[in-house]
Amino acid sequence: MNFKIVTLPGDGIGPDIVTEAVKVLDKVGEVYGHTFTYDEQMMGGVAIDHKGSSLPQETIDACLQSDAVLLGAVGGPKWDNLPNGDRPEKGLLGIRGALKLFANLRPAVLYPQLKHASPLKEEIIGDSLDILIVRELTSGIYFGEKQKVVCEEDDSKTFASDLEKYTVAEIERITRVGFDAAMKRSKKVCVVDKANVLESSRLWRVVVNRVAKDYPEVEYSFMYVDNAAMQLVVNPKQFDVIVTSNIFGDILSDEASIITGSIGMLASASLGEGSLGLYEPSHGSAPDIAGQNKANPIATILSAAMMLRYSLNLEKEAVAIEKAVMSALDAGYRTGDIMSAGMKQVGTKEMGELIVNAIQ
Ligand code: NAI
Ligand code: MG
């Protein structure tokens, strides 16, 4: 098959790591008989420099006409205080909005080869860990009505409020993304909410119970968010897919990611109604190591694997990438960020090459 992929290398280490992910995709294409056609576009700081906007219209148009979008990272001190108020991160929020991406998938995977890097004890994490957090991305308290009312006579009565609001349609579509993802994994979902106090959470439960009827094979449960925060560190292995609201997902995905101990390994996907999705590493543009062949390309390469799984429906090709990453780690190769005693340190390009050569 032929697939059209827009690449948005962006800033800092973005171009370094996207180059390696493209090499890996090309090898997958060669081995499995697919053609990936790339359309490189500008977004973020590089777009501000060359096109005068963090998100040029031509970039949006190209993404809308593609099968999937692979992004490196955006941002850097150079663009922090522009007189016109534009910022590289505005491009990122803008493209998510333009592509109507409402679901953010963040896997927290701890590889057995890197378990020493986890802050958790070995009795708790065992040999490895693999949790997928599905976070609602475009609604809830971050987007609900905001208000600030200043009381001139008595400042103690000044107040501000943010509204946690979800419609049935919004809950239903994120629930489906979570249950669909679970069908490709261990068929287990935990919906995290605060239904003991929040009316919106009680609506989530009603809708989830209804949607779940369409997925008789999926075993699902509910958990209050305060307990979930605790359970993630005392017994993370009980989780497979976690489905949750925007704010709870923001917090829990950061907590889960740190359990894995290595920012250079964490992929992510943002999905909408159709198959078009945006795939990017969870880390930023790491300007401190940009262009020095030091960045770990694995988070981006694993994001490309997610792209094959969720947008292009190429499950065995996705698994081939994940196995190739495993094999490079098994052989003892490490970039600087995941380096430990007795291992062989390599740069961005070498790690990319090792993974390319391990694709079967
Ligand atoms: P960062 O994630 O870029 O870097 C944090 C630390 O981790 C740095 O020491 C960096 O060298 C290291 N690091 C990150 N990715 C790595 C990799 N693949 N391999 C090896 N080491 C890696 O976060 P920071 O420093 O807070 O932000 C830098 C810039 O990135 C800022 O302009 C920020 O706004 C932007 N940013 C962009 C994001 C995105 O594009 N999605 C997300 C987060 C930050
Ligand atoms: Mg966050």
Side-chain angles (χ1 to χ4, degrees):
M1 294 256 296
N2 195 340
F3 300 99
K4 196 166 159 197
I5 294 164
V6 166
T7 59
L8 304 173
D11 311 316
I13 59 172
D16 309 0
I17 55 188
V18 168
T19 302
E20 300 313 311
V22 164
K23 280 196 226 160
V24 172
L25 285 172
D26 282 339
K27 180 66 184 286
V28 167
E30 211 180 291
V31 173
Y32 290 87
H34 307 297
T35 312
F36 300 110
T37 312
Y38 308 98
D39 178 5
E40 183 176 324
Q41 295 287 334
M42 290 188 194
M43 207 262 283
V46 66
I48 292 175
D49 287 353
H50 292 90
K51 308 273 175 186
S53 156
S54 58
L55 183 59
Q57 187 60 39
E58 62 201 79
T59 297
I60 299 176
D61 293 342
C63 291
L64 284 169
Q65 283 156 28
S66 72
D67 293 309
V69 181
L70 183 65
L71 164 73
V74 298
K78 184 179 167 194
W79 302 283
D80 270 351
N81 290 302
L82 296 178
N84 68 359
D86 199 1
R87 292 181 60 89
E89 292 79 2
K90 271 196 180 171
L92 197 53
L93 291 178
I95 194 72
R96 285 180 183 149
L99 305 184
K100 301 194 174 67
L101 306 173
F102 63 83
N104 187 222
L105 274 59
R106 274 184 61 177
V109 179
L110 176 66
Y111 288 84
Q113 300 89 341
L114 303 178
K115 63 183 176 189
H116 61 271
S118 174
L120 296 187
K121 289 191 211 122
E122 210 176 320
E123 306 95 271
I124 290 174
I125 48 167
D127 240 4
S128 61
L129 200 65
D130 185 354
I131 300 171
L132 178 67
I133 300 199
V134 178
R135 165 189 173 191
E136 200 290 324
L137 201 56
T138 53
S139 186
I141 195 166
Y142 293 172
F143 292 89
E145 184 186 307
K146 294 176 191 306
Q147 211 187 352
K148 184 170 176 194
V149 177
V150 178
C151 180
E152 301 286 359
E153 304 80 56
D154 180 0
D155 186 53
S156 71
K157 290 184 178 145
T158 291
F159 74 90
S161 66
D162 302 275
L163 184 68
E164 171 81 349
K165 178 178 164 190
Y166 273 106
T167 66
V168 166
E170 287 166 345
I171 302 167
E172 179 166 344
R173 66 186 188 180
I174 189 71
T175 304
R176 288 196 185 279
V177 170
F179 278 63
D180 284 339
M183 287 300 288
K184 300 182 178 185
R185 298 167 54 98
S186 73
K187 303 194 171 107
K188 204 173 129 189
V189 170
C190 180
V191 177
V192 171
D193 61 29
K194 190 72 184 170
N196 48 346
V197 286
L198 298 180
E199 199 57 47
S200 52
S201 287
R202 290 193 275 272
L203 182 63
W204 269 71
R205 290 199 177 195
V206 171
V207 175
V208 169
N209 282 326
R210 201 162 67 207
V211 171
K213 293 200 172 65
D214 295 340
Y215 301 84
E217 288 171 63
V218 175
E219 176 199 327
Y220 73 103
S221 59
F222 297 99
M223 191 182 282
Y224 298 142
V225 64
D226 40 356
N227 187 27
M230 216 157 50
Q231 293 298 324
L232 270 174
V233 291
V234 293
N235 183 15
K237 292 184 95 68
Q238 69 186 289
F239 297 110
D240 187 59
V241 175
I242 292 177
V243 179
T244 192
S245 63
N246 200 343
I247 184 167
F248 296 158
D250 185 9
I251 300 164
L252 293 180
S253 62
D254 273 18
E255 183 188 1
S257 72
I258 207 67
I259 296 173
T260 71
S262 47
I263 195 164
M265 300 287 297
L266 297 170
S268 86
S270 300
L271 310 179
E273 294 287 3
S275 62
L276 178 59
L278 175 78
Y279 300 84
E280 56 177 316
S282 293
H283 58 72
S285 61
D288 51 325
I289 55 169
Q292 299 170 35
N293 196 35
K294 282 186 185 161
N296 185 349
I298 294 180
T300 313
I301 290 169
L302 292 172
S303 300
M306 290 186 86
M307 178 175 92
L308 300 183
R309 174 170 294 126
Y310 293 108
S311 278
L312 309 184
N313 206 16
L314 300 175
E315 176 65 24
K316 66 176 188 304
E317 291 83 345
V319 172
I321 293 183
E322 288 158 354
K323 283 191 173 156
V325 168
M326 275 286 199
S327 114
L329 295 173
D330 276 337
Y333 294 102
R334 304 283 188 270
T335 44
D337 57 311
I338 51 172
M339 184 59 190
S340 62
M343 298 295 132
K344 293 167 264 194
Q345 189 163 341
V346 293
T348 312
K349 291 194 177 76
E350 294 72 29
M351 183 57 92
E353 207 56 44
L354 284 157
I355 295 167
V356 165
N357 292 334
I359 296 284
Q360 292 183 342

